[in-house]
């Protein structure tokens, strides 16, 4: 997959995220503090990464900020984006299964590297639910 990644801070866990994704064989495009010269404001870089998903130039995005809240809010303002702030693997699995989330938001503060690995494993191994009720809910929140 082609995955856009943003972070407003150049933190070890953000670098580990990029390395993990590349290690899984994904093509990674970076925004914000992960890309020297790019605008590192969380609102700007999160929307830049999320916009790639909406435009179809990336399959998924991962957006990060210190809390994860600003990054998820900014990403969710992009039409077509369903961003989910995930702090554990169960939540990441549910975000894919029930919400068909196409953008993963992470807190740089809360996410340790072992937790990051668990979240990414859950995120990439879970497909959206085929249940009609789930599909209707996803359609309802998709602009
Ligand atoms: O978590 C965040 C936004 O939700 C930011 O990472 C946090 O506010 C720090 O940003 P700044 O360095 O611009 O003050």
């Amino acid at each position: 997959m082609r995955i856009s990644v943003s972070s407003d801070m150049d933190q070890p866990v953000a670098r580990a995220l990029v390395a993990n994704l590349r290690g899984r064989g994904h093509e990674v495009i970076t925004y914000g503090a992960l890309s020297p010269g790019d605008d590192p404001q969380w609102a700007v870089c999160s929307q830049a990464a999320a916009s790639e998903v909406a435009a179809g130039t990336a399959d998924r995005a991962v957006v990060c900020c210190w809390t994860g809240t600003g990054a998820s809010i900014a990403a969710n303002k992009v039409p077509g984006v369903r961003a989910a702030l995930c702090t554990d693997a169960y939540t990441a699995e549910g975000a894919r299964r029930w919400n068909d989330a196409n953008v993963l938001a992470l807190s740089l503060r809360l996410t340790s590297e072992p937790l990051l690995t668990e979240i990414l494993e859950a995120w990439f191994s879970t497909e959206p639910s085929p249940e009609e009720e789930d599909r209707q809910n996803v359609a309802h929140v998709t602009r």
Side-chain angles (χ1 to χ4, degrees), residues 26-46:
H26 299 300
E27 180 187 354
V28 177
I29 315 118
T30 55
Y31 287 95
L34 301 174
S35 191
D38 200 29
D39 191 331
Q41 293 185 86
W42 55 264
V44 176
C45 64
S46 299

Side-chain angles (χ1 to χ4, degrees), residues 15-141:
R15 288 175 176 258
L17 165 64
V18 172
N20 185 308
L21 295 174
R22 290 194 171 130
R24 289 170 181 272
H26 299 300
E27 180 187 354
V28 177
I29 315 118
T30 55
Y31 287 95
L34 301 174
S35 191
D38 200 29
D39 191 331
Q41 293 185 86
W42 55 264
V44 176
C45 64
S46 299
Q47 289 200 328
S51 293
E52 290 242 26
V53 176
T57 51
D59 301 292
R60 307 261 179 89
V62 185
V63 297
C64 308
C65 66
W66 190 240
T67 57
T69 54
S72 62
I73 290 167
N76 274 316
K77 293 291 182 184
V78 178
V81 165
R82 294 176 300 280
L85 174 56
C86 298
T87 51
D88 59 76
Y90 181 85
T91 306
E93 187 181 326
R96 289 287 299 137
R97 173 164 299 129
W98 296 307
N99 314 139
D100 192 6
N102 52 12
V103 174
L104 170 64
L106 294 173
S107 163
L108 297 167
R109 185 180 78 89
L110 287 180
T111 313
S112 65
E113 292 190 25
L115 186 56
L116 171 70
T117 302
E118 291 176 16
I119 290 171
L120 293 177
E121 186 56 37
W123 176 263
F124 284 109
S125 63
T126 308
E127 292 300 319
S129 162
E131 297 294 323
E132 184 57 25
E133 186 183 348
D134 293 317
R135 292 162 59 90
Q136 283 179 12
N137 272 308
V138 168
H140 190 76
V141 296

